Amino acid sequence: MMKGKVFVLFGLGMFLVLLVGLYVLSNGNLEMSQAKEVIKETDDTGREVKGIKIALNDFYLESVAEEQGKQFVIVDLSFTNNRETVYEFSTFNLTLIDEEGFAHSMNSSIETKGILGGQLHPGRTNRGEIAFLVPVASQYELVYTDHLRTGQVTWQVSVDKE
């Protein structure tokens, strides 16, 4: 009698695992198909992720005296909320990737203009600069990843070594 109950319980557990697996697979495919439409270019510098236009306005370099072989790359970005709801964003979604493929997060030890991050209400634009302390190189890739809405946009940042 006890073996029968264990067998039924085991069967029900396997059925539940099967149902959950099918649900995850069907939702995973739905999200993948939506991600194809998340990113669109709006112009040379602007990219749009789910109604948020992000523009790379400019970038410049600042040398670092204390650390040999490193420099600050400072990027000037604008975020425009084209959605009908408030958008909350963080500078932690931005990384600068060097020529060796290492990603670098923002560095707050240097003064920059404007403040990026926080809430952005519909129809509003926020502009600011973000600094990255990176190895000296001629090419970088700026990456913005929207983790909650499954989108990512990139810009190539070419620096002249003069």
Side-chain angles (χ1 to χ4, degrees):
M1 187 77 127
M2 185 67 165
K3 288 182 182 180
K5 290 180 182 179
V6 169
F7 182 71
V8 169
L9 184 60
F10 179 74
L12 287 174
M14 292 304 293
F15 181 71
L16 181 62
V17 168
L18 178 68
L19 282 179
V20 169
L22 289 173
Y23 177 77
V24 168
L25 285 175
S26 68
N27 280 346
N29 290 338
L30 176 64
E31 287 181 23
M32 291 296 284
S33 65
Q34 290 174 349
K36 293 177 185 173
E37 301 176 21
V38 169
I39 301 165
K40 69 177 186 179
E41 283 198 33
T42 56
D43 55 40
D44 287 342
T45 58
R47 311 281 195 275
E48 192 168 310
V49 179
K50 289 283 193 175
I52 304 301
K53 180 183 176 191
I54 307 166
L56 173 61
N57 303 314
D58 197 9
F59 62 90
Y60 60 94
L61 304 176
E62 292 283 332
S63 61
V64 180
E66 312 85 61
E67 294 189 49
Q68 301 261 325
K70 296 229 176 188
Q71 65 187 359
F72 282 106
V73 175
I74 300 170
V75 295
D76 177 351
L77 295 167
S78 294
F79 285 76
T80 302
N81 186 353
N82 296 323
R83 299 166 32 149
E84 294 181 10
T85 58
V86 173
Y87 178 70
E88 188 146 347
F89 67 97
S90 169
T91 54
F92 293 112
N93 292 359
L94 289 160
T95 55
L96 194 67
I97 300 175
D98 63 26
E99 290 177 327
E100 294 182 16
F102 291 103
H104 303 270
S105 60
M106 71 169 249
N107 186 296
S108 60
S109 65
I110 187 170
E111 190 172 327
T112 57
K113 290 189 253 179
I115 298 173
L116 284 177
Q119 291 186 346
L120 185 60
H121 290 267
R124 303 283 312 229
T125 297
N126 189 6
R127 182 175 179 180
E129 295 177 341
I130 300 175
F132 298 91
L133 183 61
V134 292
V136 173
S138 61
Q139 284 285 105
Y140 301 98
E141 183 179 38
L142 178 65
V143 178
Y144 176 81
T145 304
D146 187 349
H147 301 288
L148 298 176
R149 292 173 184 82
T150 65
Q152 186 177 72
V153 291
T154 63
W155 295 263
Q156 293 302 313
V157 178
S158 297
V159 178
D160 292 333
K161 290 184 179 180
E162 295 180 332

